[in-house]
Amino acid sequence: MYKTCMREISKEFEEKKSLFIGNIKRIYTEDEGKNFLEKIRKNHPEASHNCWAYILGEKKLKKRYSDDGEPQGTAGIPILECINKKDITDVIVVVTRYFGGVLLGAGGLVRAYTKACSLAIEESGIVEVVSGVLVNLIISYDLLGKFQHSFLEDKIHIEDTIYADKVTIKCLIEICKIDSFKKTVANLSNGKCDMIFEEEKKYFKLENRLFENIG
C-alpha cells in the first residue's frame, strides 16, 4: 500500500506581490512528468520561474527536482521535501512564480515554495493505492437478498449484478481482506457459491471502496 494525489489541480496565493501557483498531477513515468512541466510552461509563458519536483515508484526510488533559476536550494528541494513529508509518490508538483518586484530572501522563498506545494497537495487530496482483485460470486436467486443485505451492512460495495440462469455479483476486494471475505461468503451461502477471481491489480481506495480510476 502507498499513497498518491487524487486529481490534477492548481492552487495559488500571493506573497509580497509575487504570485505562486502550485500545480500537481499524478504521473507514472518521467516522460509524463516532462509533458506536464511543458504544459505548465505553455500555460504561463510570462512566469518568472517554474520550479518542480517529482517522486516515482511505490518505493519512491526515483526523485528529481529543479530550482529553475531561483537561488540553489530555495525551490526544488523544498518542493521535494514537502512531497516526502506528505508521504505520497507517483506525483509531480510544479510551482509557477510571477515575480512581483519584492525580494523574499532565501528563507522567504523556501517558505513560499513549500506553502505552494502543500496547498496543491491538500487541494488535490490524497488517496491510498492498494492491491485488489475483482471477485465474481455466482449464486442462486434465493440467496441474492441475503447477500445484498449482508454486504450493505458490512460496507462491501457491489460493482455489478448480472442476471442469467444464476446471479453473478461482482465485488472489488482488497487482497488483505480476501480471507475474511471468503468466510463471509461461505457463511452466507452455506458453501453454495462459486467464486471466480480475476487478475490482481492496483486500485485506488477511498473509505471502504476500491476504484480502478479516480480524479
Side-chain angles (χ1 to χ4, degrees):
M1 186 274 289
Y2 61 95
K3 292 183 285 187
T4 189
C5 68
M6 284 181 60
R7 61 185 69 88
E8 178 183 338
I9 62 92
S10 296
K11 183 73 174 179
E12 64 182 54
F13 73 96
E14 189 174 308
E15 182 69 24
K16 294 183 179 178
K17 298 184 179 181
S18 280
L19 179 66
F20 290 87
I21 308 170
N23 310 278
I24 187 170
K25 180 179 174 63
R26 186 170 63 250
I27 60 171
Y28 299 102
T29 67
E30 289 185 286
D31 283 342
E32 285 184 280
K34 291 174 184 177
N35 290 338
F36 183 64
L37 177 59
E38 286 307 308
K39 171 186 170 182
I40 298 302
R41 284 173 172 163
K42 288 179 181 178
N43 288 345
H44 300 280
E46 303 300 320
S48 310
H49 308 277
N50 285 290
C51 306
W52 55 268
Y54 64 72
I55 299 178
L56 290 174
E58 186 172 350
K59 296 183 179 179
K60 306 177 184 177
L61 297 180
K62 191 167 290 186
K63 302 178 181 182
R64 300 286 188 274
Y65 63 88
S66 170
D67 293 312
D68 193 35
E70 292 282 30
Q72 185 175 358
T74 62
I77 289 179
I79 296 170
L80 184 67
E81 289 180 346
C82 180
I83 297 172
N84 262 323
K85 287 180 180 178
K86 296 293 185 179
D87 194 28
I88 59 177
T89 187
D90 288 343
V91 63
I92 182 171
V93 175
V94 181
V95 178
T96 300
R97 181 190 182 191
Y98 286 87
F99 181 56
V102 179
L103 296 175
L104 301 183
L109 287 173
V110 169
R111 288 189 293 272
Y113 279 102
T114 299
K115 179 179 178 179
C117 180
S118 182
L119 288 175
I121 293 172
E122 289 172 8
E123 186 73 13
S124 171
I126 295 175
V127 63
E128 290 182 334
V129 180
V130 301
S131 295
V133 63
L134 180 64
V135 184
N136 298 278
L137 306 175
I138 303 172
I139 60 173
S140 58
Y141 277 82
D142 61 299
L143 291 174
L144 179 58
K146 190 176 181 181
F147 269 75
Q148 290 173 329
H149 178 73
S150 176
F151 283 6
L152 183 62
E153 284 194 335
D154 293 340
K155 297 182 179 179
I156 299 171
H157 183 76
I158 296 175
E159 299 294 330
D160 195 9
T161 304
I162 300 172
Y163 302 93
D165 292 339
K166 288 191 173 184
V167 183
T168 299
I169 297 174
K170 294 178 175 287
C171 299
L172 285 174
I173 305 299
E174 196 172 348
I175 290 298
C176 65
K177 297 180 179 179
I178 285 294
D179 287 343
S180 62
F181 180 73
K182 287 180 178 178
K183 291 177 182 177
T184 297
V185 170
N187 290 334
L188 288 171
S189 66
N190 292 319
K192 296 177 182 179
C193 174
D194 292 325
M195 303 179 68
I196 300 174
F197 294 85
E198 298 193 11
E199 183 182 0
E200 181 179 331
K201 295 168 59 176
K202 294 292 186 183
Y203 293 94
F204 301 103
K205 180 182 178 182
L206 279 177
E207 297 180 348
N208 292 294
R209 187 175 174 186
L210 303 187
F211 297 85
E212 191 164 0
N213 297 295
I214 201 167

